[in-house]
Amino acid sequence: MAAASSCAGFCRAGWQPCFQFVRHGSKAVTRHWKPMHFLRQQLMAVTEYIPPKPLIAPECRPPVKIDEEEHGFVKFLRRQVEQTFRENNMIAVCQYNYAPGGEIALMRHRLRKYNIHAKFFPNEVLRAVLMESKYKNLLPLFVARNLLLVSPETRAREMLRVLKNIPQITLLGGCIDNTLMSKEGFNNYAKLLSMATTQGEVVGALSLLPSQTSTLLQRGPIHLASLLDQYIKQQTSSGAEVKEGGDS
């Protein structure tokens, strides 16, 4: 009676019996994490592998270059740069600032009259080519946007005359006949006389010395001949006077 009354009381209070599902056939977990024994820790620390230190520190080793395959267009530009430096005797490096397209086209037209051509190449390609050539001392000139003015002839005077009217393009330096020159070097080279005039002056200077030498060599015989002529005249005049005195 007491159990029935207590059950009735729980049911009236809203209590429900608890059901528990039991899974049969499962294995009990018997492996739990345990800390390593102190002696074993010491044994593992003593027997740990320590790799030998390299003879050269990694910081002192040269960087390893990764050979990247160049794009076909980059190879084409490299060949163009190599051909430009190989076939031209005058190479001027200029800094190219913004200018209207019409002025650049007019400048290229004026330069083409003197067989001077303007070349645009990326600085990355130019640096890669010049680093492996005899023009590596030109590398400091290639900063920002650059322009090459090249010609198979040495037309520095005509080039400076055209660039004088275009302030957007500044001459930095270059190379003439395998000789590196600065901006002042180009100005001094442009003031030189032409090859024909210089050759004429050299020929005149060389011919002046032989002419002076021949004049000096001929002066003695000519003076001697004049003295002999004068002596012969004196002798003939004195002989004629002696004859006149004997006749009288």
Side-chain angles (χ1 to χ4, degrees):
M1 291 294 292
S5 61
S6 62
C7 181
F10 284 127
C11 291
R12 285 196 299 272
W15 177 84
Q16 295 182 358
C18 180
F19 298 96
Q20 183 177 3
F21 296 94
V22 179
R23 186 176 180 181
H24 298 281
S26 62
K27 295 182 180 180
V29 180
T30 57
R31 295 183 180 180
H32 298 280
W33 179 85
K34 293 181 180 181
M36 188 181 298
H37 195 270
F38 179 70
L39 295 177
R40 187 174 181 182
Q41 291 180 6
Q42 289 183 343
L43 180 62
M44 294 293 293
V46 171
T47 59
E48 184 181 1
Y49 174 73
I50 300 177
K53 294 183 179 180
L55 299 177
I56 302 175
E59 295 82 4
C60 300
R61 294 179 180 177
V64 180
K65 296 183 180 180
I66 301 175
D67 296 334
E68 298 180 357
E69 186 177 357
E70 294 183 347
H71 195 268
F73 183 65
V74 177
K75 294 181 180 179
F76 173 75
L77 290 178
R78 286 176 64 93
R79 290 195 297 268
Q80 290 291 322
V81 173
E82 293 174 356
Q83 183 180 2
T84 299
F85 278 83
R86 184 175 58 253
E87 296 180 353
N88 294 281
N89 294 325
M90 186 187 74
I91 301 171
V93 183
C94 304
Q95 186 177 2
Y96 168 65
N97 300 319
Y98 173 76
E103 293 185 6
I104 299 299
L106 182 60
M107 178 202 70
R108 301 182 77 168
H109 176 69
R110 290 177 179 175
L111 291 174
R112 200 175 293 113
K113 292 181 179 179
Y114 305 108
N115 198 16
I116 303 174
H117 304 277
K119 302 286 185 179
F120 294 90
F121 295 108
N123 286 347
E124 294 78 9
V125 178
L126 283 168
R127 293 193 190 99
V129 175
L130 296 181
M131 186 64 69
E132 302 173 356
S133 66
K134 61 182 179 181
Y135 301 101
K136 61 176 63 177
N137 292 330
L138 292 175
L139 287 174
L141 301 179
F142 292 95
V143 181
R145 302 178 64 184
N146 293 105
L147 167 68
L148 293 181
L149 299 179
V150 299
S151 175
E153 304 173 3
T154 55
R155 298 294 185 91
R157 185 181 305 172
E158 293 80 0
M159 180 189 67
L160 293 176
R161 189 185 305 156
V162 175
L163 294 181
K164 186 178 180 180
N165 302 324
I166 306 175
Q168 292 85 358
I169 297 178
T170 305
L171 178 64
L172 302 178
C175 176
I176 295 180
D177 292 333
N178 296 326
T179 303
L180 298 180
M181 292 187 180
S182 61
K183 182 179 180 180
E184 292 76 12
F186 271 88
N187 292 328
N188 296 333
Y189 188 88
K191 295 177 183 178
L192 297 177
L193 299 177
S194 62
M195 184 61 69
T197 306
T198 306
Q199 290 176 353
E201 292 182 354
V202 172
V203 171
L206 293 177
S207 61
L208 179 62
L209 295 176
S211 63
Q212 292 178 352
T213 304
S214 67
T215 303
L216 291 175
L217 293 175
Q218 292 175 4
R219 182 179 298 178
I222 292 174
H223 184 63
L224 179 61
S226 63
L227 292 177
L228 292 175
D229 291 340
Q230 186 177 0
Y231 176 76
I232 293 171
K233 290 179 181 179
Q234 291 177 356
Q235 291 295 328
T236 54
S237 62
S238 62
E241 290 176 359
V242 171
K243 287 181 179 181
E244 291 177 356
D247 294 336
S248 63

